[in-house]
Amino acid sequence: MENGVMIQYFEWNLPSDGKHWKRLKDDAKHLSEIGVSGVWIPPAYKGTSENDVGYGAYDLWDLGEFDQKGTVRTKYGTKQELIEAIEELHKYNINVYLDAVLNHKGGADETENFLAVEVDPEDRTVEISEPFEIEGWTKFTFPGRNDKYSAFKWNHNFFDGVDYDNKTGKIAIYKIVGENKDWDEGVDSELGNYDYLMNADIDFSHPEVREEIIRWGKWVVNELKIDGFRMDAVKHIKDEFIAEFLTQVRATHGEKFYSVGEYWRNDLEKLKEYLDNVGYKTDLFDVGLHFNMYDASKKKQDYDLREIFEHTIVATNPMAAVTFVDNHDSQKGSALESQVESWFIPHSYAIILLSKDGYPCLFYGDYYGVGGEKSPHQWIIDKLLEIRRVYAYGEQINHLDNPNVIAIQRTGRDEWTGCVAVLSNSEEEEEIQIEMGKEKSGEVWQEVTGSEYEDVVIDEDGNAKFKVEPEKISVWIRKS
């Protein structure tokens, strides 16, 4: 879809009322009207409890269908409600991307005794004990599902590590000892080897594991009729497996099946290396752009806005970039907290929604609000979405001459499209002169985000001066 937009349709603090899939279904028409073309839904399978946001994945095959972990539904509702929500979204030609949490499993059914070594949490390649027996939560038997869809049972042979010894009650990082057992390669080099993240860490070198996960991937796409995956925590998962997983799913469901990976590292070279290693089989979230916007929001006028696109995927490999402002991991109170300050939210959404490149992703918390409180930004995001739908076409020209005032210009595809977004972190009112082209001489342009500036007439040389209030944005379009 031209000028498509994705929305992450959840945040950490949603109520655990089992009604989220119903809310999503009811919202489908509205999402279509504001220009959303893809919805990233939260992990939709059984977690460790009915309150689990989904990242404590217990049973991938239970989409809110079986009585397990004290509940039939997930935090978000039942399998049938999810299917109905997806069908409603598809009525409006909105794609649905499921959050695939493949790195680990939580909420095991039983413990086992097995050999392990404790490793240095700051460098997991360094063993700090001899092998000894621990009692770990590694047996997953899924008694509530009774082998429906899959008879596969998990035990310690299918994991690389755990973080808790039930025998001693000690929390540490334990690497499981066994034949061909080690941390997976093809993961991030942070902390020596960043295979281990949490819970029971899945061993993607084990052929039975690979077969089971690929089988699930093909099944869930067919079962829910989803259009893509958001791949969670890919920097902790063997890159070669991610490439194989997506290849196998597409072999069954078609090459257009979409994927975006979460590789949370503010290091463009690492992200480019990852894209290369997986053969560009997935897009990536543009973490560098997020951190640029976060830094800009913190430093205010001390941040050089001319650097906002530096070290980003969207600037270097735009076809692989999913641009975003914030998400559930960066929002306040989360483990990776780096939330963009409120005053810079309009600037940030202007950047991702009015730029030509990248697949922009709205965050539920920015649009609808967090913890039941309404977002103060919905109106400006709605306005920017409208400008994206109607006006943000043509080539992009970035005007980066002033560290405190920049402009993003879209040249348009006819005489009525095109726009100019002016972004300021200055403490004073500013203006920026833009050469619009002599063919536009005499045109009248208006500001549409509520600044109440007078209309601007493009002069005989094709130039115009566009104003912006202190620490605000202004967006200009041709007046009809």
Side-chain angles (χ1 to χ4, degrees):
M1 176 181 171
E2 190 174 20
N3 278 7
V5 177
M6 185 194 311
I7 184 169
Q8 175 185 357
Y9 204 82
F10 65 102
E11 56 99 9
W12 277 126
N13 308 293
L14 291 176
S16 181
D17 57 7
K19 295 179 180 176
H20 194 59
W21 299 143
K22 289 181 178 177
R23 285 190 287 269
L24 175 56
K25 179 183 176 181
D26 293 343
D27 204 18
K29 183 172 184 286
H30 165 249
L31 291 173
S32 173
E33 289 168 349
I34 65 173
V36 167
S37 57
V39 173
W40 155 22
I41 60 173
Y45 23 81
K46 196 61 54 72
T48 57
S49 74
E50 70 173 23
N51 300 315
D52 198 307
V53 173
Y55 295 101
Y58 165 68
D59 186 1
L60 298 180
W61 301 87
D62 181 358
L63 301 168
E65 184 179 3
F66 305 99
D67 189 354
Q68 299 190 106
K69 297 297 155 189
T71 177
V72 173
R73 69 166 175 88
T74 66
K75 177 176 181 178
Y76 309 107
T78 66
K79 178 181 180 181
Q80 185 56 37
E81 289 162 350
L82 172 58
I83 288 170
E84 290 172 9
I86 292 170
E87 287 173 347
E88 189 72 8
L89 290 164
H90 282 164
K91 280 186 196 172
Y92 293 97
N93 297 314
I94 296 173
N95 289 329
V96 179
Y97 311 136
L98 172 65
D99 203 322
V101 182
L102 307 183
N103 175 72
H104 51 269
K105 298 187 78 63
D109 298 299
E110 300 172 38
T111 61
E112 296 179 284
N113 293 322
F114 49 84
L115 288 178
V117 292
E118 189 177 339
V119 300
D120 183 345
E122 299 303 313
D123 184 351
R124 281 83 178 279
T125 64
V126 176
E127 299 177 3
I128 57 175
S129 78
E130 294 297 316
F132 67 105
E133 188 174 85
I134 70 168
E135 181 188 357
W137 289 93
T138 49
K139 280 196 82 172
F140 292 79
T141 59
F142 315 116
R145 183 160 50 81
N146 198 27
D147 292 351
K148 189 172 181 182
Y149 306 127
S150 170
F152 191 84
K153 305 290 191 293
W154 295 76
N155 62 56
H156 71 275
N157 295 305
F158 301 130
F159 298 105
D160 286 326
V162 293
D163 60 2
Y164 182 70
D165 179 6
N166 200 56
K167 191 181 292 186
T168 63
K170 183 178 178 182
I171 296 170
I173 297 179
Y174 301 101
K175 184 171 72 172
I176 296 171
V177 173
E179 193 175 345
N180 300 318
K181 276 282 174 216
D182 205 345
W183 298 128
D184 282 338
E185 296 301 316
V187 298
D188 193 270
S189 58
E190 199 177 339
L191 304 179
N193 174 297
Y194 218 164
D195 180 9
Y196 189 83
L197 175 62
M198 61 189 286
N199 297 131
D201 183 75
I202 292 175
D203 179 2
F204 286 101
S205 297
H206 200 295
E208 291 178 54
V209 167
R210 296 166 75 99
E211 185 181 322
E212 171 73 354
I213 297 291
I214 289 168
R215 208 163 62 79
W216 171 81
K218 293 178 178 181
W219 170 83
V220 79
V221 175
N222 184 65
E223 196 78 1
L224 294 178
K225 305 296 186 282
I226 54 173
D227 308 285
F229 286 129
R230 179 263 185 186
M231 304 295 293
D232 180 58
V234 294
K235 78 176 188 178
H236 307 283
I237 300 172
K238 195 179 182 73
D239 53 20
E240 174 262 333
F241 174 77
I242 293 293
E244 182 188 0
F245 176 77
L246 292 170
T247 297
Q248 293 279 352
V249 169
R250 288 180 179 130
T252 301
H253 295 290
E255 285 302 311
K256 288 187 176 177
F257 188 83
Y258 184 69
S259 173
V260 56
E262 177 233 0
Y263 196 117
W264 194 264
R265 187 153 179 188
N266 186 15
D267 183 334
L268 180 61
E269 292 310 309
K270 282 281 181 190
L271 300 183
K272 286 163 74 174
E273 181 185 342
Y274 183 81
L275 287 167
D276 200 43
N277 288 346
V278 298
Y280 293 84
K281 295 186 189 301
T282 184
D283 291 352
L284 287 180
F285 288 103
D286 199 342
V287 176
L289 181 62
H290 159 74
F291 276 105
N292 285 355
M293 295 188 291
Y294 172 68
D295 289 345
S297 78
K298 287 291 190 183
K299 295 176 181 174
K300 294 207 159 185
Q301 69 175 358
D302 292 332
Y303 184 86
D304 188 338
L305 288 173
R306 296 172 298 184
E307 299 176 357
I308 201 78
F309 291 109
E310 291 193 3
H311 311 297
T312 64
I313 303 175
V314 74
T316 56
N317 201 326
M319 294 299 290
V322 172
T323 53
F324 71 103
V325 178
D326 274 306
N327 64 22
H328 64 293
D329 281 326
S330 70
Q331 74 178 100
K332 276 190 169 59
S334 63
L336 302 169
E337 183 179 322
S338 51
Q339 185 171 308
V340 174
E341 295 286 328
S342 184
W343 76 274
F344 201 72
I345 293 286
H347 301 63
S348 300
Y349 277 100
I351 289 166
I352 71 169
L353 291 175
L354 304 186
S355 286
K356 178 186 176 190
D357 294 323
Y359 186 1
C361 183
L362 308 181
F363 176 45
Y364 187 98
D366 288 337
Y367 188 74
Y368 290 105
V370 168
E373 291 189 17
K374 288 199 168 183
S375 168
H377 304 298
Q378 186 175 105
W379 73 272
I380 187 64
I381 295 174
D382 274 334
K383 177 56 70 174
L384 293 168
L385 284 164
E386 178 191 348
I387 297 164
R388 178 176 177 82
R389 287 196 310 277
V390 181
Y391 298 98
Y393 297 95
E395 293 307 306
Q396 178 171 339
I397 302 171
N398 294 330
H399 300 271
L400 308 174
D401 302 317
N402 183 323
N404 299 117
V405 187
I406 63 170
I408 296 170
Q409 178 189 1
R410 298 295 299 279
T411 57
R413 59 185 177 188
D414 55 47
E415 61 180 312
W416 290 108
T417 58
C419 58
V420 173
V422 185
L423 285 62
S424 170
N425 65 6
S426 172
E427 293 179 352
E428 300 174 358
E429 183 182 73
E430 302 280 357
E431 68 178 15
I432 188 167
Q433 179 167 308
I434 293 178
E435 187 179 332
M436 303 291 287
K438 282 192 176 180
E439 73 282 358
K440 292 186 176 294
S441 177
E443 288 183 3
V444 179
W445 281 54
Q446 61 180 334
E447 205 286 319
V448 289
T449 64
S451 67
E452 299 183 358
Y453 280 127
E454 291 184 1
D455 296 343
V456 168
V457 180
I458 298 174
D459 70 22
E460 59 187 15
D461 294 321
N463 297 318
K465 290 181 178 178
F466 298 105
K467 290 183 177 179
V468 62
E469 293 177 29
E471 297 183 345
K472 299 277 182 149
I473 67 168
S474 62
V475 182
W476 303 78
I477 59 171
R478 185 173 178 187
K479 191 170 186 178
S480 56

